[in-house]
Structures are given as C-alpha cells and as structure tokens.
C-alpha cells in the first residue's frame, strides 16, 4: 500500500539532505575560519607597507564571472577573490596614512565583536529575547552619555552611522515640538553652511524639507555667528514663523570647527527650540579631559549624534544618538505588533526597538564593548589627544613651509593651500592646489582630500585614524616640502603678447 503522502516524504528527505549542508561540518567551518583569519592578519600586519591610496588593480572580472553559483565555490578561490578583487584597490581606511574626509578606524576587537555577534546571532532588538545583548548596548549608551555629560535620564540608541542617528533625532524633535504636516511650512530650522549634508537629508526624509531652512553665517573660525542667529530668530518670530530646530555642529566635517555650543544652548532655551548637536566627528574628543572645554555646552543639547566608527575607531557601521528626554524617542518610535505581545517592558533596561526605527538589527553593542574592555578607555583617550596634537603640529609646520593655513585646529582637521607670491586668479590658485593634492595621492603612502570654501580650493589633513602617528604626518610634510621647490608653485602672470 502506498500512501499519497509517500512522495511528499521522499521529497522532504531529499530536501533535508541538501538543506543540512548549510550547517557545514565542523572541520570545514574551521578551515574557512582559518583562511579568513589568516587573510585578516595579513592585512593588519601589512598595513605599514601598504599604500593608503591604491590605484593599481581594480579588475572585477572574476568576481562578476563567479556571480552567485548554484554549487559551492572553493574556499581558496573565494578568499583569493576577496584579496585581489574586493579588498585590493581604492582607499585603505584602516591605514594610518588615511588623512582624508573623516578617517575611520577598525580597532581589531571590533571585528571579533562582529564575529561573535554574527555567529551567535543574538537578538538585540528587544530585551525579552536578548537581555545580555540589550544590556551591553545600554551600557555603551550610558557610557557615551556620561562622557559627554548628558544627565543620567538621557538615553538613545546605537545606529548604523551618523546619518541615521540624525534622522532618528529629527523625527523625535519634530514630534516633541508637535509639528504636523500642515505646520511644516511655518517651522524654521537653523544651521550653518558648514553643517553636514546629512542634516538636509534627514530633514527631507523626516518630511521636513519644506521647513524654512536658515543657513547662518560663520565667523573666521567657521563657527556659527551667534548674533546672526539671535537676529534671525527674532525676525522669523516677528514675521509669524515658528522657530523650531537649532542644529549646532561639534566638529564640522570640512574644517573641524566647533560651534559656540553654550551660546547656542542659551538661545535654544530662551526661544524654546529643540537643540541638536551633530558630534558625529567631534564629540568623541570629550573623552580627553584636556579638550573637554572645547565642547562645553554639548551636555545641554536635546539630542546629540556621535559616530563611534569615527572618533572611537570602530569598524564602519556604528553611530549613536542620545536624547535628553528619551520619552521623545519612545513616542516617535515605540510601535508594537500584536505578535510581540509576550514582551514585557522593563523600564531600567529599555529595548532598542522601542527607541529607534529598527526592529531586527545588528548587535552593534558587542563590537563597541569588546574594544573598550579589552583595551581599556585610557588608550582611546590617549589616541584622541595625540590626534589633536598631531593636527596642531601639522598646521604649524605647513605654515612654516609657506602654505596658507586655516584656523588652528579646534580638534584634528587642518586646512592648507598654496598661494603663489604674485597675485593670481582664483581658478589658477585652485588648479595649483589640485596639483599639490595630486602629488600627494600619486605618492600613495598617505591619502588627503580637499574641499571648496567660498570658491577656494583647500586641502585638508583630517587626523583621526588610530593608526596615524607623527611619521605619517611627517611623510605628508616631506611631500609638501618637495612640492614647494617645484617651479609650478611660483605662478607668474602670462607675459604680455
Ligand atoms: C560623518 C559625519 C556625519 C554622517 O555620519 P555617517 O556615519 O557618515 O552617516 C554627520 N555629521 C558629521 C559632522 C560627520 O562628520
């Protein structure tokens, strides 16, 4: 007698045999792990010899040809692809020679945190499912809160980066200030031309792009002009608008400038504005007691964004937002599905899912906690202090080489440009500076980037990678010194025809 279900059972066992292969045998798992770990040690051990900017290679043929195969590719082939076609060319962000944009980090225990988080696949969205994972994240947030001096009641969430952290903060601000769709056109946001573009992006995503957006002037140090802010708020009130959100920056991306955070806090308090501080680049310098005063006033913010994947040297994918009154975060983000009914709230250990747009998410806390506990906080403080002093050293030395320099670095970004002795058209000066940047990139040992401020081309040295030390800065200075000897820097007006 055959049952009509026999065929189904046969199919089931055939599928089971295939699907069980997803749980690879322990010795295969160890072999894969060994290959990956060997590769990673090779990368880290070889960083000193490697260029920060690699233009060689770049073929993607084998990667694209492999595509997604139906049957397993050999581990050796795959690791070879990782090494040659994936990790190979481009900017090497883990290098101490990375002095472009805002450098990242990659402290090694962060990678171990990711390995453990991924292998255990711990659920960090709600405390009920992962009490340890949620406790680690909350511990990290409380530590950040205490380092920047927010009150004990403040809390927040770890995000994938500063841009998403900003979005989370703005949504909370919008709801806290009761801004409904019909109010948007009357509501005013204040920031400067030096604010990061994620501010405009987050406003747009939060449905606030039709707000009146005031771009306030900056002073000679590229910090917000407080009197202009005061006057603008008064003028906006007089014309019937509703000032709503003030965005200060603690360390701008372009110049590293810190807005006058205390003065901004005073105005925000007087005018009943939500006070947001973008500390994605700079807030980590609060870890250094000697530099803490530069960030004075950050602790008065309603919301602060930090980016541990910048200033805490973590691998990419870790941002943070802290909110003075986390009830605002919960109001904007605390939604519950019926299928989550077993979850009980625990006030003292809030669940990330209740304070952010995410539900199922990466267990980010572990990649932050492991480096901090395995190294201890003191090493991070020392590294940040070193970066600040390196930026000042670079600034002083570049000036001595005859470069025009920007303001003395408030944190760890220095600006410089070459201005020829004879008065030259702006475009000519910009071209010379683009050439100088190219000379640095052609050398490849270090990577710098540039910006344009009021039409002028500036080269930036942004010092934040934990592996950047004086030898890297001296290497840049060496290239600059060589370039200054070159005739192309001595611009002369064209001879009359
Ligand atoms: C990097 C940066 C951001 C954006 O953060 P991401 O982590 O890149 O999303 C925002 N503000 C400032 C000042 C930054 O330097």
């Amino acid at each position: 007698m055959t049952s009509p279900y026999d065929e189904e059972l046969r199919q089931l066992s055939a599928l089971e045999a295939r699907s069980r292969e997803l749980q690879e045998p322990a010795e295969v798992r160890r072999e894969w792990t060994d290959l990956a770990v060997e590769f990673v040690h090779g990368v880290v051990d070889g960083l000193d010899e490697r260029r920060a900017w690699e233009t060689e290679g770049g073929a993607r043929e084998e990667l694209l040809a492999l595509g997604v195969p139906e049957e397993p590719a050999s581990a050796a082939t795959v690791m070879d692809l990782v090494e040659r076609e994936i990790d190979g060319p481009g900017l090497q962000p883990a290098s101490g020679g990375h002095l472009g944009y805002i450098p990242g980090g990659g402290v090694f225990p962060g990678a171990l945190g990711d390995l453990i988080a991924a292998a255990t696949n711990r659920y960090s969205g709600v405390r009920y499912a992962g009490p340890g994972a949620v406790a680690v994240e909350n511990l990290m947030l409380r530590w950040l809160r205490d380092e920047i001096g927010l009150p004990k009641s403040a809390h927040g969430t770890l995000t994938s980066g500063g841009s998403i952290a900003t979005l989370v903060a703005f949504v909370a601000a919008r709801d806290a200030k009761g801004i409904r769709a019909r109010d948007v056109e009357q509501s005013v946001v204040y920031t400067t031309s030096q604010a990061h573009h994620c501010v405009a992006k987050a406003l747009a995503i939060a449905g606030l792009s039709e707000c009146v957006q005031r771009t306030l002037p900056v002073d000679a140090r590229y910090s917000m002009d407080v009197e202009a802010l005061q006057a603008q708020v008064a003028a906006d009130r007089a014309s019937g608008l509703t000032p709503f959100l003030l965005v200060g920056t603690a360390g701008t991306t372009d110049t590293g400038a810190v807005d006058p955070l205390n003065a901004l806090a005073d105005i925000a308090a007087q005018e009943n504005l939500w006070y947001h501080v973008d500390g994605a680049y700079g807030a980590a310098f609060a870890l250094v007691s000697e530099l803490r005063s530069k960030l004075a006033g950050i602790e008065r913010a309603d919301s602060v964004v930090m980016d541990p994947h910048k200033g805490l040297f973590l691998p990419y994918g870790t941002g943070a937002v802290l909110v003075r009154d986390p009830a605002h975060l919960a109001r904007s983000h605390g939604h519950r599905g019926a299928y989550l009914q077993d979850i009980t709230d625990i006030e003292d250990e809030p669940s990330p899912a209740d304070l952010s747009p995410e539900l199922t998410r990466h267990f980010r806390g572990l990649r932050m906690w492991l480096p901090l506990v395995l190294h201890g906080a003191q090493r991070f403080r020392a590294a940040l202090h070193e970066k600040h002093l390196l930026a000042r050293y670079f600034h002083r030395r570049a000036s001595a080489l005859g470069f025009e320099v920007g303001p003395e670095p408030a944190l760890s970004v220095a600006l410089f440009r070459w201005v020829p002795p004879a008065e030259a058209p702006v475009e000519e000066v910009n071209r010379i500076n683009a050439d100088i940047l190219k000379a640095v990139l052609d050398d490849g040992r270090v990577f710098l980037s540039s910006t344009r401020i009021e039409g002028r081309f500036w080269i930036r040295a942004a010092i934040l990678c934990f592996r950047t030390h004086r030898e890297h800065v001296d290497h840049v200075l060496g290239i600059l010194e060589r370039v200054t000897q070159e005739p192309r820097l001595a611009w002369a007006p064209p001879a009359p025809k």
Side-chain angles (χ1 to χ4, degrees):
M1 272 289 283
T2 63
S3 133
Y5 299 116
D6 283 357
E7 175 49 28
E8 196 177 294
L9 287 174
R10 251 194 313 278
Q11 196 184 8
L12 187 58
S13 64
L15 289 172
E16 177 177 322
R18 276 272 55 187
S19 108
R20 274 184 179 276
E21 290 168 5
L22 269 182
Q23 173 64 68
E24 63 287 324
E27 59 286 0
V28 172
R29 186 173 71 243
R30 289 199 157 75
E31 182 200 321
W32 290 349
T33 309
D34 289 347
L35 280 172
V37 166
E38 237 359 86
F39 166 72
V40 162
H41 285 312
V43 169
V44 176
D45 293 340
L47 279 173
D48 279 347
E49 279 76 58
R50 204 166 157 180
R51 294 156 60 98
W53 177 241
E54 186 56 78
T55 47
E56 298 291 300
R60 300 284 178 278
E61 280 121 32
E62 291 170 52
L63 176 72
L64 300 178
L66 178 61
V68 178
E70 285 299 327
E71 295 301 326
S74 91
T77 305
V78 171
M79 287 313 300
D80 185 54
L81 275 182
V82 169
E83 182 162 357
R84 286 183 304 106
E85 297 202 354
I86 300 177
D87 184 59
L91 171 61
Q92 173 52 266
S95 164
H98 177 18
L99 285 73
Y101 314 116
I102 297 293
V107 278
F108 194 75
L112 300 179
D114 277 3
L115 176 66
I116 297 171
T120 62
N121 204 21
R122 275 292 170 187
Y123 195 85
S124 66
V126 290
R127 186 186 194 272
Y128 172 78
V134 170
V136 166
E137 295 215 8
N138 285 336
L139 178 71
M140 293 296 92
L141 288 158
R142 290 190 199 109
W143 180 72
L144 291 176
R145 172 199 74 194
D146 293 345
E147 288 295 329
I148 60 172
L150 281 166
K152 298 281 178 211
S153 52
H155 201 64
T157 187
L158 295 180
T159 66
S160 58
S163 300
I164 298 297
T166 304
L167 175 63
V168 170
F170 286 3
V171 168
R174 180 196 68 196
D175 298 346
K177 294 295 181 191
I179 295 179
R180 301 155 301 174
R182 74 180 86 142
D183 305 318
V184 170
E185 289 182 13
Q186 297 299 308
S187 304
V188 195
V189 180
Y190 302 87
T191 181
T192 72
S193 58
Q194 294 297 306
H196 193 274
H197 64 268
C198 78
V199 167
K201 195 167 167 179
L203 288 173
I205 301 173
L208 297 170
S209 58
E210 284 155 356
C211 277
V212 180
Q213 298 181 33
R214 301 287 185 212
T215 304
L216 295 156
V218 289
D219 62 18
R221 301 187 56 85
Y222 303 105
S223 310
M224 190 183 288
D225 177 337
V226 179
E227 281 173 21
L229 170 65
Q230 186 98 63
Q232 187 65 57
V233 173
D236 288 337
R237 282 220 195 280
S239 64
L241 296 172
T242 309
F244 141 58
L245 171 63
L246 171 60
V247 180
T249 307
T252 62
T253 313
D254 257 5
T255 72
V258 180
D259 283 332
L261 301 178
N262 260 321
L264 265 50
D266 290 341
I267 295 176
Q270 263 161 41
E271 300 288 345
N272 192 27
L273 308 176
W274 180 281
Y275 180 30
H276 176 80
V277 175
D278 178 358
Y281 153 57
F285 285 92
L287 267 71
V288 183
S289 53
E290 290 87 342
L291 303 179
R292 181 61 183 80
S293 63
K294 290 175 180 285
L295 300 166
I298 194 171
E299 69 288 348
R300 296 172 63 193
D302 290 301
S303 52
V304 177
V305 160
M306 298 181 77
D307 238 353
H309 64 201
K310 291 177 178 164
L312 284 176
F313 319 129
L314 296 190
Y316 287 141
T318 319
V321 57
L322 290 160
V323 174
R324 169 171 298 273
D325 179 357
H328 293 307
L329 277 183
R331 191 172 312 135
S332 299
H333 300 287
H335 299 268
R336 273 282 157 88
Y339 73 100
L340 300 177
Q341 64 176 353
D342 303 334
I343 295 166
T344 47
D345 280 311
I346 296 184
E347 292 268 313
D348 62 348
E349 206 68 285
S351 292
D354 293 333
L355 303 177
S356 85
E358 297 180 307
L359 178 58
T360 303
R361 59 205 281 285
H362 181 57
F363 174 16
R364 305 181 179 102
L366 201 58
R367 49 150 55 187
M368 182 168 168
W369 178 77
L370 265 188
L372 283 166
V373 293
L374 286 177
H375 281 304
Q378 192 53 51
R379 291 179 186 170
F380 290 80
R381 299 184 204 281
L384 283 161
H385 197 181
E386 178 203 18
K387 305 317 159 206
H388 169 68
L389 293 181
L390 279 176
R392 288 178 37 160
Y393 165 78
F394 175 82
H395 181 262
R396 197 171 65 242
R397 294 284 309 275
S399 173
L401 285 175
F403 286 86
E404 179 181 335
V405 289
E408 173 158 299
L411 300 171
S412 69
V413 176
L415 296 181
F416 64 100
R417 63 201 289 267
W418 185 261
V419 182
E423 198 172 315
V426 173
E427 278 317 311
E428 200 55 33
V429 180
N430 287 351
R431 192 196 51 75
I432 291 173
N433 282 285
D435 273 0
I436 296 173
L437 178 59
K438 186 169 179 304
V440 175
L441 297 188
D442 284 348
D443 174 87
R445 181 71 189 84
V446 291
F447 178 85
L448 300 183
S449 62
S450 68
T451 189
R452 228 169 246 264
I453 302 175
E454 286 157 8
R456 293 199 172 85
F457 190 104
W458 287 91
I459 310 175
R460 303 164 63 258
I463 303 176
L464 197 64
C465 177
F466 71 101
R467 295 188 174 102
T468 301
H469 306 295
R470 195 171 144 190
E471 72 214 47
H472 302 98
V473 173
D474 282 338
H475 189 83
V476 184
L477 289 165
I479 299 172
L480 294 181
E481 185 162 17
R482 248 190 352 264
V483 189
T484 54
Q485 321 290 325
E486 293 180 13
R488 60 179 154 163
L489 289 199
W491 186 85
K497 294 215 176 86

